[in-house]
Amino acid sequence: MHATDALAEADRQMTICNACRYCEGLCAVFPAMEKHRTFADGDLNYLANLCHSCGACYQDCQFSTPHEFAVDVPRTLAKVRNDSYKTYAWPGFLAGLFDRNGLAISIVAALGVAAFILGFIAFNDADQLFAVHQGEGAFYRLMPHNAMIILFGAAFAYAILALCMGCRAFWRDSNAVNAVIGDGRVSIWQAMKDASTLRYLDGGGVGCINEDERPTDNRRLYHHLTFYGFLLCFGATSMGTIYHYVFGWQAPYPWWDIPPMLGKVGGVGLVIGTVGLLAAKWRRDPALVDESKRGMDTAFLVMLFLTAATGLALHGLRSTPAMGMMLAIHLGVVFSLFLTMPYGKFVHGIYRFAALTRYAMSNRHGFAKPGASSSDS
Amino acid sequence: MSKNSVSPATRLPSGWDERYDVLVVGGGNAALCAAITARNAGSKVLVLEGAPKFYRGGNTRHTRNLRCAHDEANEVLTGPYSEDEFWDDLMRVTGGQTNEELARHTISESRELWDWMNEQGVRFQPPLGGTLSLGRTNAFFLGGGRAMLNALYLRAEKLGVDIVYDAMVTDLEIEDGHFNSATVEVDGTSHTIRAATLVTAAGGFEANIDWLKEYWGERAGNFLIRGTPYNKGSILRLLLDRGVEPVGDPTQCHAVAIDARSPQFDGGIVTRLDCVIFGVVVNNECVRFYDEGEDFWPKRYAIWGRLVADQPDQTAYIIIDSKAISLVMPSVYPAIEAGSIGELAGKLGLSAERLEATVADYNASVQPGDFDPNTLDDCHTEGLEPPKTHWARTIDEPPFYGYPVRPGITFTYLGTRVDKQARILMTDGKPSANMYAAGEIMAGNVLGKGYIAGIGMTIGAVFGRIAGREAAKHARN
Ligand SMILES: Cc1cc2nc3c(=O)[nH]c(=O)nc-3n(C[C@H](O)[C@H](O)[C@H](O)COP(=O)(O)OP(=O)(O)OC[C@H]3O[C@@H](n4cnc5c(N)ncnc54)[C@H](O)[C@@H]3O)c2cc1C
Ligand code: SF4
Ligand code: SF4
């Protein structure tokens, strides 16, 4: 009936939860689940992507292992969620990349970095790579701006296309069973608020359950630093582009200017955030983790960390002979980050946002719950 | 289970052989309320929980809400719910079988519970649409009873209460109503624990099938126990054998009809079925035996356990058709489905002929009416015995669905008699000098029979706090 064992197991557990409903106040997953009587694959993928993996429902569940019902919603949904990235990947033949994510990403990253170093050498010569370059346009003496734009523009455009196609498939599938008519705009705004505050990563209010039954808010804090750090870095790049095309000012900019400031603050946020998330991951109770896909999470965090760390290093070393090498490494890392985005953990943000939007829509639309009777004693 | 979690305390804490001020036996709501209160009053407190860490907190793990009187609405309760109304509700279900002084005291103390629980870190759920028809009278734990327990344990640990899991108390040394020491099995060895006072909060005896058989006969072997397998009543037995005055009818308990496919123990809340009022219920001879439409399911829920216990093999079958299925809570085990009544009978192991006849008789007696699941509607039968007085609709639209049910015991009412200070009373009527009881083990003082949702936790929390306070006071003197 279900495409995978993980989906069948999620169905089994959601059926128990649906008869229990004790967790309905913890996050969006449970109220969303209550709107179903049976669970199709698309429903389960939708529910899985609504889960923020805060772990609360595992610690709160009277039926977790060693109980014979063996309910472990966070781990089960993590499995389904991780599989769902593969299910909806575009183009389909690249879906397999998710399975060997850590390895694939390191290879792409290594190749990317190597390509940039070689590219610099090809544009100039080896000596230039280690020479001191300063002042406006210093970067472009190593690689012409247009070359950069073409390369990154293409990688970025590809990433966006692949992400959009995946999201479209996810959206259709999660809607297939219960079409939702609703106010799209309002729901998207609601989803933006829910996603940007990580509303459901709070264990229903006390924080996330990570290494033991004592909740903390660390994962949310580190996730915020990572997410907003990433946005600031992205903002730095966008500002740079505007400076370049609108005002004709060429990078590198003085340290106090907007793009480097955004980049620095964002970079520091990213470094602290990713290290914090990696540490939390390391300490996390294995009962909450989909071990089989641990590499995917780690690879993505490491890539983000490297992006930020090499960016900061580039900024620090830009007046030294190391600048050329740092620029090559940084651009290589960023390039591979873009390329691998649609086939790694990055997609969780996209699908989660889509799921939150669908949730907001269905709330506005107001499905009736099957059997809304009181459930006591 | 988890690689980094605090190593479960299955060993006695160092210094355990010094004397404790308060020894709490049990690890549920009542026990923790007592331990926290006694510790806050400055006592050295030890909690001995017989179950392993995961199963800590007995039946409290399975609860969802707590009933409390209050004057006005707050974040989680729509209001008000006056003490008088609470009292009326209690009178209705117990038919007056309650100790009025203790019951009124419980109700009046229940007013403080919501605030107190909040202070301990217990979180409640704001009323959500749909589910919470009890949102006025009962406060719902966010994440359920285990979440509530986790908060209480966290608080107790922070305060410095010593807690040991896997610690079954096997004996109590009591002299003339005075507690001296307890024997506990930890890690396969017995230890003697001395304490100035004893708080017993070790639950009822519902998980002790042999004991249940003393009152119910062999049929108790077919009962399913909805809660913890650890409430075997061992402490209650010890107390009763050592001169403590019993309270409550031993055959009285909270018993509902639950899915017969449930595990024998600890199936918890998910095994309940709420479709009785929409169908017919037959025994294994395909005979109906009670008015399924007497009242709303939550109100009549608690009588069906006893009704089914009186049927052959302690089994019955709820039969509904496709008109009803979407009106009921999704069930943990799928309904058994068939295209015809005869086929359904086959799948349920019943005689097709007889089930068809019973359903046909019923269908023929159904009168036209306006079906409304939210009120006591006018859909009823005529000339049928027993009648179905509400929500009677013909069962004729396939697919047909059936659920086998069995008695599901929630908790027992036989307990220890106590006074307003939660002191245990001895058979001579005198209070014990230093023994207290709280929760299920003394709930029979208040609940002579029947049940109103959420009062189990109320009794446990109210008497737990009293016991903790009084024990600490006594230990200080
Ligand atoms: C499925 C279900 C749902 C329920 N829902 C609700 C609800 O929503 N609201 C409500 O008010 N009530 C509810 N109840 C009733 C409620 O669970 C009880 O009234 C309440 O838990 C009693 O609390 P307690 O602390 O006295 O006992 P328990 O919570 O059962 O704790 C007893 C403890 O004693 C321990 N113990 C037993 N023997 C020994 C020994 N010899 N040595 C050491 N430890 C021992 C056990 O391990 C256990 O931890 C429900 C019950 C069930 C089964
Ligand atoms: S996770 Fe456990 S407690 Fe929560 S709804 Fe599911 S079954 Fe119930
Ligand atoms: S977000 Fe938290 S509470 Fe909700 S399903 Fe996921 S782990 Fe459970």
Side-chain angles (χ1 to χ4, degrees):
Chain A
M1 231 180 82
H2 289 292
T4 64
D5 290 350
L7 285 161
E9 174 61 8
D11 185 341
R12 182 188 75 86
Q13 294 193 20
M14 285 292 117
T15 302
I16 298 177
C17 291
N18 210 4
C20 171
R21 302 189 170 184
Y22 279 14
C23 291
E24 66 185 352
L26 291 181
C27 72
V29 171
F30 297 93
M33 169 240 357
E34 287 175 14
K35 288 172 178 155
H36 299 264
R37 189 165 271 283
T38 55
F39 302 95
D41 286 357
D43 299 331
L44 293 166
N45 286 330
Y46 156 59
L47 295 176
N49 278 286
L50 265 187
C51 169
H52 284 45
S53 212
C54 76
C57 61
Y58 172 73
Q59 279 299 338
D60 293 352
C61 183
Q62 62 274 34
F63 304 122
S64 21
T65 313
H67 192 283
E68 61 181 279
F69 288 168
V71 174
D72 184 345
V73 175
R75 194 224 290 260
T76 309
L77 293 190
K79 233 186 196 59
V80 170
R81 187 164 62 241
N82 287 334
D83 289 349
S84 76
Y85 305 155
K86 197 173 147 183
T87 308
Y88 301 118
W90 183 90
F93 69 86
L94 288 178
L97 280 178
F98 280 101
D99 288 338
R100 300 173 299 276
N101 199 263
L103 183 64
I105 285 188
S106 10
I107 293 173
V108 173
L111 289 177
V113 171
F116 272 85
I117 297 176
L118 290 175
F120 283 176
I121 295 174
F123 271 111
N124 306 280
D125 57 59
D127 293 345
Q128 283 286 9
L129 193 56
F130 297 104
V132 177
H133 304 270
Q134 270 178 328
E136 207 168 296
F139 293 161
Y140 311 126
R141 264 171 256 138
L142 281 161
M143 177 178 276
H145 188 254
N146 285 342
M148 280 196 198
I149 288 293
I150 288 170
L151 266 174
F152 281 89
F156 190 61
Y158 175 77
I160 297 280
L161 174 70
L163 288 170
C164 285
M165 294 303 285
C167 192
R168 182 164 162 262
F170 169 74
W171 184 256
R172 290 195 163 171
D173 202 22
S174 73
N175 272 310
V177 192
N178 277 301
V180 186
I181 316 146
D183 184 332
R185 223 183 41 200
V186 178
S187 299
I188 287 175
W189 177 234
Q190 181 63 47
M192 279 169 79
K193 286 192 286 187
D194 294 345
S196 60
T197 53
L198 291 176
R199 175 164 167 202
Y200 298 114
L201 190 61
D202 70 347
V206 281
C208 168
I209 307 289
N210 198 45
E211 53 264 41
D212 56 33
E213 73 271 19
R214 292 148 217 263
T216 70
D217 245 344
N218 287 352
R219 275 178 79 231
R220 183 144 72 142
L221 172 72
Y222 292 133
H223 192 289
H224 276 329
L225 284 170
T226 306
F227 178 68
Y228 289 103
F230 180 82
L231 281 192
L232 287 177
C233 292
F234 194 72
T237 313
S238 312
M239 275 310 275
T241 313
I242 293 174
Y243 273 24
H244 188 92
Y245 285 105
V246 180
F247 303 106
W249 301 331
Q250 296 210 342
Y253 307 104
W255 68 267
W256 45 262
D257 208 344
I258 300 177
M261 281 307 277
L262 289 180
K264 264 181 294 191
V265 176
V268 170
L270 255 180
V271 166
I272 303 177
T274 50
V275 170
L277 284 177
L278 281 166
K281 190 168 295 300
W282 181 254
R283 285 198 302 267
R284 196 161 169 82
D285 186 336
L288 297 168
V289 183
D290 170 18
E291 290 287 349
S292 62
K293 295 289 162 50
R294 207 174 191 146
M296 169 160 66
D297 305 7
T298 312
F300 178 54
L301 285 173
V302 169
M303 282 304 284
L304 283 180
F305 170 81
L306 287 178
T307 305
T310 55
L312 290 174
L314 173 62
H315 192 74
L317 300 173
R318 62 190 173 156
S319 327
T320 73
M323 184 275 262
M325 206 56 192
M326 262 346 283
L327 183 64
I329 295 174
H330 181 62
L331 292 181
V333 169
V334 175
F335 187 72
S336 5
L337 179 71
F338 277 178
L339 271 190
T340 53
M341 261 179 187
Y343 310 104
K345 184 70 192 198
F346 178 82
V347 298
H348 83 281
I350 309 286
Y351 293 145
R352 185 150 301 156
F353 183 75
L356 285 167
T357 307
R358 179 185 177 327
Y359 177 65
M361 280 183 168
S362 70
N363 272 353
R364 293 175 57 76
H365 189 55
F367 281 127
K369 291 182 194 179
S373 74
S374 94
S375 40
D376 64 286
S377 64
Chain B
M1 219 186 3
S2 83
K3 82 173 160 180
N4 292 307
S5 69
V6 222
S7 75
T10 49
R11 231 162 280 271
L12 286 172
S14 60
W16 63 268
D17 46 352
E18 294 161 33
R19 212 173 133 93
Y20 277 91
D21 295 323
V22 179
L23 170 63
V24 180
V25 182
N29 168 49
L32 271 283
C33 289
I36 291 170
T37 309
R39 182 69 193 148
N40 275 330
S43 293
K44 190 165 157 21
V45 182
L46 175 66
V47 171
L48 296 176
E49 159 61 291
K53 187 174 182 191
F54 172 80
Y55 284 99
R56 71 183 183 187
N59 284 346
T60 303
R61 285 168 47 244
H62 290 293
T63 64
R64 186 172 203 195
N65 56 49
L66 161 106
R67 185 174 288 254
C68 45
H70 53 280
D71 296 328
E72 48 197 276
N74 56 34
E75 296 96 301
V76 300
L77 291 155
T78 55
Y81 184 51
S82 71
E83 289 184 33
D84 287 341
E85 196 183 344
F86 194 154
W87 169 252
D88 291 343
D89 287 343
L90 182 65
M91 283 307 283
R92 206 165 16 244
V93 297
T94 58
Q97 288 191 36
T98 179
N99 175 324
E100 174 155 4
E101 190 198 13
L102 294 183
R104 289 214 184 256
H105 192 53
T106 308
I107 291 172
S108 113
E109 294 276 303
S110 77
R111 307 163 67 91
E112 288 178 20
L113 290 182
W114 189 71
D115 276 337
W116 188 81
M117 291 268 173
N118 266 311
E119 281 160 26
Q120 311 317 315
V122 173
R123 293 167 304 134
F124 293 91
Q125 180 175 310
L128 296 174
T131 11
L132 305 187
S133 68
L134 290 166
R136 187 171 70 85
T137 54
N138 291 40
F140 282 63
F141 306 124
L142 186 66
R146 188 160 173 241
M148 175 267 197
L149 271 172
N150 289 345
L152 291 185
Y153 271 96
L154 206 57
R155 168 52 52 111
E157 277 170 22
K158 279 192 183 143
L159 290 172
V161 171
D162 285 336
I163 300 165
V164 190
Y165 302 109
D166 263 324
M168 267 295 170
V169 172
T170 52
D171 205 1
L172 298 172
E173 197 203 316
I174 298 168
E175 239 175 299
D176 293 333
H178 185 279
F179 163 78
N180 291 327
S181 68
T183 307
V184 60
E185 299 280 336
V186 180
D187 267 352
T189 23
S190 308
H191 305 265
T192 307
I193 309 271
R194 255 165 267 284
T197 57
L198 172 74
V199 174
T200 55
F205 66 98
E206 60 278 349
N208 190 335
I209 305 282
D210 288 336
W211 195 349
L212 289 175
K213 281 184 182 168
E214 284 179 31
Y215 312 112
W216 292 87
E218 279 309 306
R219 61 190 167 145
N222 280 334
F223 292 178
L224 301 171
I225 313 307
R226 301 172 71 211
T228 182
Y230 294 92
N231 284 2
K232 298 218 181 284
S234 49
I235 298 299
L236 178 61
R237 183 84 270 167
L238 285 168
L239 292 173
L240 298 181
D241 291 349
R242 307 250 190 306
V244 165
E245 168 82 7
V247 72
D249 174 351
T251 66
Q252 284 296 341
C253 58
H254 184 253
V256 300
I258 61 170
D259 200 303
R261 295 163 288 183
S262 313
Q264 194 187 4
F265 293 103
D266 218 52
I269 195 72
V270 296
T271 60
R272 73 183 175 301
L273 294 165
D274 64 354
C275 46
V276 163
I277 63 167
F278 299 124
V280 292
V281 182
V282 298
N283 63 19
N284 62 12
E285 257 106 59
C286 299
V287 176
R288 287 177 62 249
F289 50 90
Y290 198 80
D291 175 4
E292 301 89 350
E294 185 183 50
D295 205 341
F296 288 106
W297 181 238
K299 287 202 188 137
R300 296 326 272 158
Y301 187 48
I303 67 170
W304 282 87
R306 281 166 181 281
L307 291 170
V308 174
D310 289 337
Q311 301 309 310
D313 294 339
Q314 292 69 54
T315 310
Y317 302 85
I318 309 172
I319 313 288
I320 58 174
D321 70 357
S322 62
K323 289 196 288 293
I325 194 81
S326 63
L327 296 172
V328 300
M329 274 278 291
S331 55
V332 68
Y333 300 103
I336 293 162
E337 188 180 327
S340 71
I341 293 289
E343 187 193 342
L344 184 64
K347 287 188 172 174
L348 295 173
L350 299 172
S351 143
E353 213 175 302
R354 278 198 251 167
L355 188 62
E356 279 167 353
T358 302
V359 172
D361 277 356
Y362 164 78
N363 283 347
S365 69
V366 168
Q367 303 302 306
D370 289 320
F371 177 77
D372 181 353
N374 300 311
T375 60
L376 290 171
D377 69 4
D378 61 354
C379 295
H380 64 282
T381 58
E382 227 155 271
L384 190 69
E385 201 41 54
K388 186 174 178 192
T389 46
H390 302 284
W391 308 294
R393 288 194 295 180
T394 51
I395 298 177
D396 52 9
E397 271 177 32
F400 300 96
Y401 300 95
Y403 291 98
V405 293
R406 281 256 166 103
I409 314 298
T410 316
F411 69 90
T412 47
Y413 292 173
L414 172 70
T416 63
R417 204 175 279 282
V418 295
D419 66 10
K420 249 171 96 173
Q421 277 83 50
R423 281 185 300 189
I424 289 178
L425 300 181
M426 309 305 291
T427 36
D428 60 8
K430 293 210 193 84
S432 155
N434 64 348
M435 295 194 293
Y436 305 83
E440 224 171 78
I441 200 170
M442 49 63 66
N445 286 276
V446 177
L447 270 183
K449 70 167 203 197
Y451 187 73
I452 39 174
I455 198 168
M457 296 302 276
T458 312
I459 297 172
V462 165
F463 277 90
R465 289 181 66 210
I466 297 175
R469 189 184 68 214
E470 295 297 322
K473 207 192 292 174
H474 185 275
R476 239 193 339 263
N477 292 335

